[in-house]
Amino acid sequence: MTDQIDLFNASGIEVTIPPKDFNPADIPTSAQVPIPPGTYKSLDPLAAHCKSCQRCDLSQTRTNVVVSRGSRTAPIMIIGEGPGQQEDEQGLPFVGRSGQLLEKILASVRIDSEKDVYICNIVKCRPPGNRNPLAAEINACRPYILEQIRLVNPKIILLTGATSVKGIMPHEKRGITKIRGQWIEWEGRQCMPILHPAYLLRNPSREKGKPKWLMWQDIQTVRAKLDEILAE
Ligand code: URA
């Protein structure tokens, strides 16, 4: 498993490049074999692979694999932690209460969730009882999210909550409340950790300094960066 993580940690570690005639359909979905960057030519074979994936035990309890929604050419990628009950039932990310709040947050700064955003999760199968995904589950699923990032090629990545930060930046030790709202350059992309919408649902106050107020500051910063990018 450590080998697999290293293969996908693109920070100076040599990575395996798949041969030209390589067919991702030949990768056994039941084993944690490496899936090197460049494995998938497009998001369709990646999604097909995810749908038959059994790289971890979440495959035993899921109803649907939840791969993504939104635009495949979006400038912004939003990465959540993992599907909840509604997402597991519908096979789409952020369609439950957190998702509805996320839609409102985006709409408040005129970010169109169909056109401007690609939404996905660190783990693609629901952890039972909505527990946090285990490190082994995050690691098993990491090749997929790294391939989604490579193929969508977003300029901006929003990491919602601590699990999302852990999935993309395993070496980041600072807590989410310390780093939220800050741009962190990762693999040439502008990443911003933001609070998870579920946390806002549990803390509904709009008072200055409270989670909803902080989110309002952060989403305006994101809007400004998007405007900058669109003007380039
Ligand atoms: N929370 C997440 O992190 N992702 C979803 O898809 C839904 C809720």
Side-chain angles (χ1 to χ4, degrees), residues 126-132:
R126 182 189 182 201
N130 296 348
R131 64 161 169 74
N132 290 333

Side-chain angles (χ1 to χ4, degrees), residues 1-199:
M1 184 126 32
T2 316
D3 285 346
Q4 186 187 318
I5 299 164
D6 289 351
L7 278 169
F8 283 88
N9 177 355
S11 356
I13 293 169
E14 205 179 318
V15 294
T16 315
I17 306 294
K20 279 206 169 48
D21 58 353
F22 176 75
N23 180 1
D26 294 339
I27 302 172
T29 48
S30 56
Q32 286 202 22
V33 295
I35 302 177
T39 293
Y40 302 105
K41 292 204 169 51
S42 77
L43 290 161
D44 288 331
L46 180 146
H49 214 223
C50 287
K51 284 182 181 155
S52 58
C53 182
Q54 297 178 43
R55 290 168 74 85
C56 80
D57 285 347
L58 296 182
S59 59
Q60 305 304 304
T61 48
R62 72 181 176 224
T63 310
N64 283 296
V65 178
V66 176
V67 182
S68 70
R69 68 180 173 95
S71 163
R72 292 169 167 218
T73 55
I76 302 176
M77 181 182 277
I78 299 179
I79 307 180
E81 36 186 69
Q85 185 181 353
Q86 295 286 325
E87 290 78 17
D88 176 62
E89 283 170 11
Q90 296 183 42
L92 292 168
F94 280 105
V95 289
R97 281 186 73 217
S98 291
Q100 285 159 19
L101 179 55
L102 180 64
E103 291 285 336
K104 284 188 189 160
I105 293 165
L106 297 173
S108 73
V109 288
R110 302 171 330 280
I111 294 177
D112 185 329
S113 65
E114 297 289 316
K115 186 169 69 67
D116 302 324
V117 169
Y118 177 90
I119 304 179
C120 56
N121 279 308
I122 291 290
V123 295
K124 313 249 173 295
C125 301
R126 182 189 182 201
N130 296 348
R131 64 161 169 74
N132 290 333
L134 305 174
E137 294 157 356
I138 294 174
N139 293 338
C141 221
R142 185 174 281 114
Y144 297 134
I145 189 70
L146 294 181
E147 281 290 80
Q148 282 176 299
I149 295 171
R150 183 182 67 79
L151 288 162
V152 175
N153 197 18
K155 293 273 195 300
I156 295 172
I157 300 179
L158 303 181
L159 303 169
T160 65
T163 300
S164 179
V165 175
K166 192 164 144 196
I168 299 298
M169 302 170 177
H171 304 299
E172 177 60 67
K173 293 288 171 267
R174 293 170 295 169
I176 182 75
T177 51
K178 285 268 179 308
I179 57 176
R180 57 132 279 279
Q182 295 182 28
W183 293 113
I184 303 177
E185 192 174 324
W186 175 87
E187 305 289 330
R189 301 176 202 279
Q190 294 298 319
C191 290
M192 183 190 283
I194 56 172
L195 298 175
H196 196 286
Y199 183 65

